[in-house]
Amino acid sequence: MSIEVTRPEAGIALVTIGNEARRNALAPDDFIALGETWPRLADDPEVRCAVVTGRGTQAFCSGAQLGADFSGIAEVDDMVCRALLKTVFFPKPLVAAVNGHCVAGGFELMMASDIRIASEDARLGLPEVHWGIVPSGGGAMKLIEQIGHARAMELLLTAGLISAEEARDYGIVNRVVPADAVLDTALALARRIAGNSPKAVRFTKESALLRRASDWQALEAAERRRAADMRSSADARIGVQAFLAKQTPVY
């Protein structure tokens, strides 16, 4: 299991994704562990703010671990939804310390956070369509709302990655800082949040986001059907095989 939860200081929970050898990719057990972590933190009265990051300096999270066996999971869409907070409303403030590459499901997890701090060398994006996959962890549903139609569609359809500075210009991250300052900056923000009224903070987040979560839930059923169709397609097999072989897919 590579999901670690620590308490660096009073009121703050730090969630670390720790599969550094694979750019903090998420295997099935990691998705399950993340999905169990969020409600536990939501119900913990000692937690006033959560920070999520990746281990090391190379990556925040690179999404699902391609090549891992997800076939034995009956409700894979539910698992992804819980882990990446796709439509699940997390009532505590969530700060993402993006300490490196942030792609695919990692990008979608970052999108579920409230405040995002990125390292100067981070690269961000949704490369799924290049590998015959649909970005079904929230990317396709939420990105236009967060950065606008034209920029969102370019990211979604080209599978290109952008720099941290571009992400800040797009409004998808708040600040860009040196790599060794990412976590400290995120924790400083979490500390300020934790010093505020917990009830006022929660009600403010609910006022800002609760309706959006309801909208996402209404859209998700159709997206699940598309994602399932894609997973069983020839394009998906070609893409995953090419990824594992470090080749360019030919569709």
Side-chain angles (χ1 to χ4, degrees), residues 204-215:
T204 298
K205 180 169 179 176
E206 287 178 354
S207 296
L209 293 176
L210 201 54
R211 185 189 62 80
R212 291 181 180 178
S214 298
D215 292 342

Side-chain angles (χ1 to χ4, degrees), residues 131-194:
W131 304 112
I133 305 168
V134 172
S136 58
M141 285 180 12
K142 299 178 181 179
L143 191 57
I144 286 176
E145 182 180 68
Q146 294 198 15
I147 66 173
H149 179 90
R151 285 171 167 172
M153 295 309 291
E154 182 176 351
L155 275 179
L156 288 164
L157 301 182
T158 67
L161 303 184
I162 59 174
S163 68
E165 288 78 10
E166 288 175 296
R168 180 184 56 201
D169 291 343
Y170 284 10
I172 197 71
V173 302
N174 297 75
R175 303 184 194 177
V176 178
V177 300
D180 59 2
V182 172
L183 185 56
D184 285 345
T185 303
L187 289 172
L189 284 164
R191 190 178 305 121
R192 289 181 61 184
I193 293 169

Side-chain angles (χ1 to χ4, degrees), residues 69-241:
D69 185 10
F70 287 84
S71 61
I73 301 169
E75 300 297 336
V76 66
D77 291 303
D78 287 337
M79 178 189 73
V80 170
C81 185
R82 289 191 294 268
L84 303 185
L85 298 170
K86 179 182 177 182
T87 66
V88 177
F89 179 76
F90 181 62
K92 306 289 177 71
L94 180 59
V95 181
V98 182
N99 55 309
H101 279 39
C102 174
V103 300
F107 188 96
E108 291 170 315
L109 177 59
M110 180 199 72
M111 289 178 64
S113 68
D114 302 300
I115 300 172
R116 302 95 184 248
I117 308 302
S119 65
E120 292 172 335
D121 57 354
R123 300 280 289 171
L124 304 92
L126 294 161
E128 283 93 332
V129 296
H130 184 68
W131 304 112
I133 305 168
V134 172
S136 58
M141 285 180 12
K142 299 178 181 179
L143 191 57
I144 286 176
E145 182 180 68
Q146 294 198 15
I147 66 173
H149 179 90
R151 285 171 167 172
M153 295 309 291
E154 182 176 351
L155 275 179
L156 288 164
L157 301 182
T158 67
L161 303 184
I162 59 174
S163 68
E165 288 78 10
E166 288 175 296
R168 180 184 56 201
D169 291 343
Y170 284 10
I172 197 71
V173 302
N174 297 75
R175 303 184 194 177
V176 178
V177 300
D180 59 2
V182 172
L183 185 56
D184 285 345
T185 303
L187 289 172
L189 284 164
R191 190 178 305 121
R192 289 181 61 184
I193 293 169
N196 295 329
S197 158
K199 190 169 186 177
V201 165
R202 177 169 182 150
F203 283 178
T204 298
K205 180 169 179 176
E206 287 178 354
S207 296
L209 293 176
L210 201 54
R211 185 189 62 80
R212 291 181 180 178
S214 298
D215 292 342
W216 297 330
Q217 289 163 10
L219 293 170
E220 196 200 12
E223 183 174 90
R224 285 192 183 202
R225 290 193 295 272
R226 289 189 287 269
D229 286 348
M230 195 68 228
R231 284 195 294 268
S232 62
S233 71
D235 279 9
R237 290 191 293 274
I238 291 168
V240 172
Q241 288 169 5

Side-chain angles (χ1 to χ4, degrees), residues 45-80:
E46 299 300 316
V47 174
R48 296 189 172 192
C49 186
V51 176
V52 60
T53 193
R55 186 168 295 147
T57 59
Q58 296 301 308
F60 170 70
C61 176
S62 57
Q65 184 177 313
L66 293 186
D69 185 10
F70 287 84
S71 61
I73 301 169
E75 300 297 336
V76 66
D77 291 303
D78 287 337
M79 178 189 73
V80 170

Side-chain angles (χ1 to χ4, degrees), residues 9-59:
E9 53 190 272
I12 300 172
L14 175 62
V15 180
T16 304
I17 303 167
N19 186 4
E20 194 173 354
R22 294 182 179 270
R23 289 182 176 263
N24 295 323
L26 299 169
D29 285 351
D30 303 317
F31 273 102
I32 292 169
L34 263 182
E36 293 172 347
T37 294
W38 304 125
R40 189 164 61 246
L41 296 181
D43 291 339
D44 188 338
E46 299 300 316
V47 174
R48 296 189 172 192
C49 186
V51 176
V52 60
T53 193
R55 186 168 295 147
T57 59
Q58 296 301 308

